[in-house]
Amino acid sequence: MQGSGDMVTPTAHVKAVPIADYGFLSDGEVAALVAPGGDVDWMCLPRMDSPSVFGALLGRHAGRFRLGPSDVSVPTARRYLPGTMVLETSWGTPTGWIIVRDVLLIGPWHHDDGVSQKHRRTPADYDAEHTLLRTIRCVSGEVQTVMECEPVLDYGRSPVRWTYSEDDYHQGRGEAQGSDLTLTLTTDLRLGFEGGQASARTLLKEGDERFIALSWAAVPPPTTSAEAHDRLEWTAHHWQHWLARGHFPDHPWRSYLQRSALTLKGLTYAPTGAIAAAATTSLPESIGGERNYDYRYTWIRDATFALWGMYSLGFDWEAVDFFSFIADVAERDDDLQIMYGIGGERELPESTLDHLQGYAASRPVRIGNAAHAQVQHDVWGALLDSVYLHSKVADHLDGRIWPILGKQVEAALKHWREPDAGIWEVRGELQHFTSSKIMCWVAVDRGARLASMIGQDSQAAEWQMAADEIKADILEHGVDSRGVLTQYYGTDALDASLLLAPLVRFLPPDHPVIRATVLAIADELTVDGLVLRYRVEETDDGFSGAEGTFTICSFWLVSALSEIGETKRAHELCAKLLSFAGPLELYAEEIDTHTGRHLGNFPQAFTHLALINAVMHVIATETAEQT
């Protein structure tokens, strides 16, 4: 949750593809970003947090995979096949039309001959096929088409060497020195190899269909266009069947909820249930800025919003899987971290990749995230609130949860009086951040409620008394003379994280402090109606430079306005935010209010979670007003 830095001259980012224009593909283990021009500019193997194989997003020579017409670089139209993660790009040329479909294949479960060593959740009927499939169909005329696949492993440091797999031109194997990753490129085009690039050229005529499959594991790739079509269709139907399990209101904003649900599913690492905060690293929060961080990890604070969003849309199984991941690490670790690797890893050492110029010349490029070692006191509240929500919706509390509960409540009680780095992971001086105190109150309050639910009445009474003490301290030291919750004790500065106060039920929505806080943020901490995290000139966050508006905070404001009865204002802001969506209804972390440009890592899970919360809030208030 880092901010942004200085601007550079416009010429530094003229050629960069706008972040929001990328298409997002996923199979639950790997993610890919596809540019409008037909280039796969980002893909990491064999996991979404592994080193990149295609990294042109962050460096021109870090690998890409192009497919499209030879003489046209701007497509006519792009869309997802409805209800799927299959990206379709239509190309019109002076001589004809072709349609390209891109998908990370999913197929039937294929571990029936043994137990998977990486899957920790309940097996499903489906599994990743470890294949990026690209199909082409000429629908009219004729089009000269080119394919150029040039992977460079290890973030652009290890070029591959291609060799033919068989005695024909239809399959190649790519390997790099020092790597155990083998890439297999299978196609009904004729391949040629030039250095590290595998290429193909063909003139497609009306009715022609071709395929290219890049695979990296034991599952055999398709070998014919007919088989490629069938496996793409299987994957598309899988996504549509998955989406059909959800409960989406009959409302004009339904498509945003559905795309957010699909995106969150795509950011979920299926073997563990962990949700990655984003699919990328080091996309800047200000062009040319220094605050470029790796978000391919899972934050504990996402838990409550993830469970709320999934349960509210009817995806109980996904909620249970993410909750189980959180429970795994909480049971294992005496000191709960704010974030983990998607496989549950504790150590996420941060380093810079100085050989990469970064997106739009925004450096440094970082991998790993030093924030994993920060002290942030909201983590216990996020965990306890997720447990409480899970127990209410699932009407069940796993037997292993009670010992975890007690440990986290006691940690909150031990540390709530101490300063921390806060929700925004500032790298300046530690402070008594009010939102952190509120989340400590959440931890103890939810602990008391859960204790009462399972008959631990004396423990419930003790913890409730402690929760009341924390609340009294916050109201004494964290409220200014106007009756507004402040960023930290002893300041009058505002902070968008205080919009969470009504959402976690710190005080009733009609309480004067809640109303004053929400309206103060709406009126004083916004640019063109969109919300800043804080005023950078008032907060020592360890960085310099300006900062854009954080989209999650703007969606929080929608929810908070709905809570305090400002329904018209909530609807108008929500409509405005939805109008800023990328062309494929995806969101990065920030929006530049002057240009509408998306900034930060992409697609951003927390933004899509907050979108679900906000849209459901607005729809609920509209429904209530109509009855």
Side-chain angles (χ1 to χ4, degrees), residues 97-119:
W97 288 76
I98 60 171
I99 294 175
V100 173
R101 288 177 174 173
D102 294 320
V103 61
L104 282 162
L105 289 177
I106 295 174
W109 181 259
H110 55 262
H111 297 286
D112 289 333
D113 57 346
V115 176
S116 168
Q117 298 303 303
K118 64 184 178 183
H119 286 79

Side-chain angles (χ1 to χ4, degrees), residues 17 35 55 65 76 84 103 125 133 135 177 185 200 208 305 329 335 338 364 404 458 466 569 623:
V17 174
F65 183 2
T76 303
T84 78
V103 61
D125 295 330
L133 175 65
T135 67
Q177 186 173 4
L185 194 64
D208 287 347
F305 283 96
V329 296
D335 53 331
I338 66 163
I404 297 174
S458 61
R569 194 169 179 179
T623 302

Side-chain angles (χ1 to χ4, degrees), residues 202-370:
T202 191
L203 179 66
L204 294 176
K205 299 183 178 181
E206 184 172 337
D208 287 347
E209 296 187 31
R210 300 289 185 268
F211 81 97
I212 305 101
L214 181 70
S215 55
W216 52 89
V219 180
T223 56
T224 66
S225 281
E227 185 185 358
H229 177 272
D230 289 346
R231 287 167 73 168
L232 183 149
E233 192 172 77
W234 199 103
T235 305
H237 288 165
H238 156 75
W239 285 113
Q240 289 169 339
H241 293 157
W242 179 83
L243 195 65
R245 283 182 32 225
H247 307 310
F248 298 96
D250 184 14
H251 190 276
W253 293 345
R254 178 174 57 197
S255 67
Y256 296 96
L257 293 172
Q258 291 178 328
R259 183 51 52 190
S260 290
L262 286 162
T263 301
L264 291 169
K265 179 67 171 174
L267 288 169
T268 300
Y269 183 59
T272 65
I275 299 177
T280 58
T281 179
S282 296
L283 292 186
E285 292 162 15
S286 183
I287 299 301
E290 61 179 312
R291 306 183 192 190
N292 315 318
Y293 288 87
D294 195 343
Y295 277 16
R296 297 172 297 163
Y297 308 115
T298 190
W299 269 256
I300 297 296
R301 75 165 58 95
D302 291 8
T304 296
F305 283 96
L307 293 181
W308 194 97
M310 290 174 179
Y311 281 132
S312 65
L313 296 178
F315 295 107
D316 294 7
W317 294 345
E318 286 68 26
V320 168
D321 283 351
F322 185 42
F323 179 79
S324 297
F325 170 81
I326 299 294
D328 285 347
V329 296
E331 183 179 36
R332 181 192 70 191
D333 296 349
D334 288 335
D335 53 331
L336 191 65
Q337 295 184 174
I338 66 163
M339 59 187 290
Y340 290 88
I342 56 176
E345 297 83 3
R346 283 179 59 90
E347 298 298 321
L348 309 173
E350 185 176 300
S351 60
T352 61
L353 301 178
D354 297 331
H355 66 285
L356 294 176
Q357 62 264 43
Y359 176 87
S362 303
R363 302 178 70 185
V365 173
R366 292 183 174 93
I367 56 173
N369 197 311

Side-chain angles (χ1 to χ4, degrees), residues 1-5 283-286 291 293 295 301 423-425 495-497 499 521 525-527 529-534 536 541 546-558 573 577 587-593 597 599-601 604 606-607 610:
M1 302 260 176
Q2 303 295 340
S4 58
L283 292 186
E285 292 162 15
S286 183
R291 306 183 192 190
Y293 288 87
Y295 277 16
R301 75 165 58 95
I423 187 174
W424 305 125
E425 298 167 5
D495 192 304
S497 63
L499 292 169
I521 292 171
L525 197 61
T526 54
V527 178
L530 304 188
V531 183
L532 299 165
R533 295 189 301 174
Y534 45 76
V536 293
D541 59 10
E547 178 168 278
T549 64
F550 266 56
T551 312
I552 180 176
C553 300
S554 298
F555 279 121
W556 283 349
L557 179 57
V558 172
L573 177 57
L577 288 167
Y587 286 84
E589 187 172 25
E590 294 185 29
I591 293 174
D592 183 328
T593 58
R597 183 172 188 163
L599 297 167
N601 284 307
Q604 184 82 8
F606 220 172
T607 302

Side-chain angles (χ1 to χ4, degrees), residues 345-397:
E345 297 83 3
R346 283 179 59 90
E347 298 298 321
L348 309 173
E350 185 176 300
S351 60
T352 61
L353 301 178
D354 297 331
H355 66 285
L356 294 176
Q357 62 264 43
Y359 176 87
S362 303
R363 302 178 70 185
V365 173
R366 292 183 174 93
I367 56 173
N369 197 311
H372 78 274
Q374 282 191 342
V375 177
Q376 294 179 25
H377 293 166
D378 64 342
V379 64
W380 307 299
L383 175 64
L384 267 294
D385 204 24
S386 66
V387 173
Y388 179 64
L389 175 61
H390 178 71
S391 67
K392 286 204 306 180
V393 176
D395 195 26
H396 171 71
L397 201 59

Side-chain angles (χ1 to χ4, degrees), residues 577-591:
L577 288 167
L578 295 179
S579 75
F580 280 115
L584 295 169
E585 296 185 343
L586 298 175
Y587 286 84
E589 187 172 25
E590 294 185 29
I591 293 174

